Amino acid sequence: MAGDKVDPVHQFVVNKIIPIEIGGIDFSFTNASLFMVATLVVATCFLYFTTSTRSLVPGRMQSVSEISYEFIASMLREGAGSHGMKFFPMVFSLFMFILTANMLGMVPYFFTVTSQIVVTFALALFVIGTVLFYGFYKHGLGFLNVFVPSGVPGILLPLVIAIEVISFLSRPISLSVRLFANMLAGHITLKVFAGFVASLGTLGALGIGGAILPLIMTVALTGLNSSCPSSRPMSLRC
Amino acid sequence: MFVTAAYAQSTTTEGAETHDAAAGEVHTETGVAHEGGHGSGVFPPFDTSTFASQLLWLAITFGLFYLLMSKVVMPRIGGILETRNDTIARDLDDASRSKAEADAAIAAYEQELTAAKAKGNAIASTAREAAKAKATADRTAVEVSLNNKISAAEARIADIKTKALADVGAIAEETATAVVEQLIGGKVSKAEIASAVKASAK
């Protein structure tokens, strides 16, 4: 179908590859699942095999792994102090998983796992859930004090508490929507411009000449989107 | 819903062009059918029918990823970094220890040099003192012997002078006796002559 080619939404469609149904709920292995597995395999293999020599003086690839590790570690230490380092495996996994998923999504015809709101929302809920669980586990009900800023006049307190609670609850939504919308919009824009190139290219010499502009745009957007995925995982930072 | 509403609007406004409207209807119908082919015809990321599967597979893959990261990859990278830091720290320690050793060796060398210098100076000054003392002693001895010789010579001179002077008296007496004998032909007693000589010598 000709419309299929330039349909910018088509790339987000989830197709069943192996239909699985348990208890009337659809748990099929889809292309989304396939790329989650691909993300898992690619990220793990990269981190595993680049560090397999355990060189004292790292090569390029080993440096990439080490820099990722140290970058996330320093980010976490700055953000949460040395107490936060017990969440390091979680933050590192999240960071690498999202980064790899985003990078894989940049490959043409590949599915972008993080363009599905349910995925980003689940990850954000996971983070917030961990914060809540650990907060209540560590401080009990005293954890609720985070909603009561110190040094606020008594009259303003109900208002401030309400604002704090709302901002806390809206955080998973804002985080997940940020990543999801970035991925979605980036890929749709890319697809639309790339579609222009293909459509104009079929119109003869003038069309090919005219296609240069969207082609440049496509290249530029690919560069932009490739640099963005590395910053995207930071969106999940609290 | 939106598509059908738009279609309804287009049919009311462009009622005359039924053919076009029909074409539009066909087009929209294919569009709906096309979208419907993927699921319930909503925007794919909001298609709730895929949520359960995505959540399950996300849980499986991310769970596995978390396990692999926390059990295999992160200890390994952490180990590499730790080994490197340890090696660097150990090398730095070695370097500073070597430097300390070198410093100690230099200090010991300096100390020995100073001691050797002091010893050399001491030997030199002792030798100089000894030489000086010997020279002084020699000079003193020479002076003493010279003084002795001088005084001996002086004593002898004085002795000779006394003797000579004494001889002078005897010679004068003899000469006077001889002169008197020759002049007056008589004998003069020795005592007289002696007193006369003495009186003239004064």
Side-chain angles (χ1 to χ4, degrees):
Chain A
M1 208 191 280
D4 233 353
K5 251 184 196 167
V6 287
D7 176 9
V9 179
H10 179 69
Q11 59 180 322
F12 304 114
V13 173
V14 177
N15 297 312
K16 290 177 194 174
I17 295 173
I18 306 165
I20 302 167
E21 205 172 303
I22 303 164
I25 305 169
D26 183 20
F27 287 125
S28 303
F29 188 81
T30 60
N31 55 350
S33 319
L34 176 68
F35 280 96
M36 287 176 197
V37 174
T39 303
L40 165 73
V41 171
V42 167
T44 308
C45 286
F46 180 83
L47 291 170
Y48 186 82
F49 288 112
T50 53
T51 55
S52 58
T53 54
R54 297 164 191 260
S55 310
L56 198 61
V57 179
R60 284 193 194 127
M61 289 297 135
Q62 192 180 324
S63 279
V64 172
S65 296
E66 285 175 12
I67 288 166
S68 313
Y69 183 94
E70 288 187 314
F71 170 71
I72 299 166
S74 70
M75 188 178 81
L76 186 62
R77 198 174 289 119
E78 276 167 27
S82 51
H83 292 297
M85 291 315 282
K86 60 171 73 72
F87 297 112
F88 186 35
M90 190 186 102
V91 176
F92 184 78
S93 306
L94 268 175
F95 190 99
M96 294 313 292
F97 193 84
I98 295 171
L99 174 66
T100 314
N102 292 353
M103 286 311 257
L104 277 179
M106 286 311 296
V107 179
Y109 295 106
F110 277 27
F111 186 83
T112 315
V113 175
T114 43
S115 69
Q116 301 291 318
I117 181 96
V118 63
V119 170
T120 60
F121 192 67
L123 291 173
L125 270 187
F126 171 56
V127 172
I128 296 294
T130 310
V131 169
L132 278 177
F133 176 78
Y134 188 75
F136 280 117
Y137 169 73
K138 189 86 179 173
H139 303 290
L141 287 176
F143 177 66
L144 293 173
N145 282 333
V146 298
F147 298 121
V148 188
S150 57
V152 173
I155 305 165
L156 282 176
L157 212 53
L159 186 66
V160 170
I161 290 175
I163 292 171
E164 288 285 327
V165 170
I166 291 169
S167 89
F168 186 83
L169 292 180
S170 66
R171 207 171 288 163
I173 299 166
S174 88
L175 290 175
S176 56
V177 168
R178 208 186 301 167
L179 176 58
F180 157 72
N182 271 314
M183 285 301 118
L184 192 78
H187 283 78
I188 287 177
T189 322
L190 204 54
K191 184 83 178 211
V192 167
F193 276 104
F196 281 164
V197 179
S199 312
L200 287 169
T202 58
L203 294 178
L206 196 68
I208 291 171
I212 290 172
L213 202 63
L215 180 64
I216 292 168
M217 279 303 288
T218 309
V219 172
L221 279 171
T222 308
L224 182 71
N225 282 7
S226 302
S227 65
C228 279
S230 46
S231 66
R232 284 295 92 78
M234 307 240 286
S235 316
L236 276 175
R237 251 169 91 192
C238 293
Chain B
M1 289 302 230
F2 180 74
V3 171
T4 48
Y7 167 61
Q9 198 183 11
S10 74
T11 46
T12 50
T13 50
E14 302 169 26
E17 295 172 299
T18 44
H19 182 70
D20 279 8
E25 185 187 350
V26 168
H27 184 73
T28 49
E29 269 179 4
T30 52
V32 169
H34 165 63
E35 279 185 358
H38 300 303
S40 49
V42 294
F43 186 54
F46 298 128
D47 184 358
T48 49
S49 70
T50 66
F51 280 11
S53 139
Q54 290 204 52
L55 285 175
L56 174 75
W57 287 100
L58 178 69
I60 292 171
T61 51
F62 186 74
L64 203 57
F65 188 71
Y66 178 85
L67 273 182
L68 284 168
M69 288 301 111
S70 58
K71 298 286 174 219
V72 181
V73 168
M74 295 180 61
R76 176 185 279 195
I77 299 179
I80 292 172
L81 295 175
E82 203 171 316
T83 310
R84 180 172 310 142
N85 288 339
D86 285 356
T87 310
I88 290 170
R90 200 173 54 237
D91 288 357
L92 283 177
D93 277 359
D94 283 353
S96 62
R97 195 160 50 244
S98 300
K99 192 178 176 293
E101 277 171 13
D103 285 350
I106 288 172
Y109 163 77
E110 294 282 352
Q111 201 179 346
E112 269 177 30
L113 190 67
T114 318
K117 265 184 190 165
K119 205 176 162 193
N121 281 341
I123 290 169
S125 63
T126 319
R128 200 163 53 236
E129 291 298 324
K132 214 190 222 170
K134 195 166 172 274
T136 315
D138 284 356
R139 200 180 66 228
T140 318
V142 168
E143 273 171 8
V144 166
S145 78
L146 280 178
N147 283 342
N148 285 347
K149 278 182 184 168
I150 288 168
S151 48
E154 273 173 353
R156 224 173 96 213
I157 288 166
D159 192 31
I160 289 166
K161 197 175 164 187
T162 325
K163 234 186 230 170
L165 281 177
D167 285 352
V168 165
I171 290 164
E173 281 172 16
E174 271 176 30
T175 314
T177 312
V179 168
V180 169
E181 262 178 335
Q182 290 289 324
L183 285 175
I184 58 176
K187 288 247 188 204
V188 183
S189 70
K190 267 195 170 180
E192 279 177 10
I193 288 173
S195 61
V197 166
K198 260 186 192 162
S200 66
K202 275 179 189 169

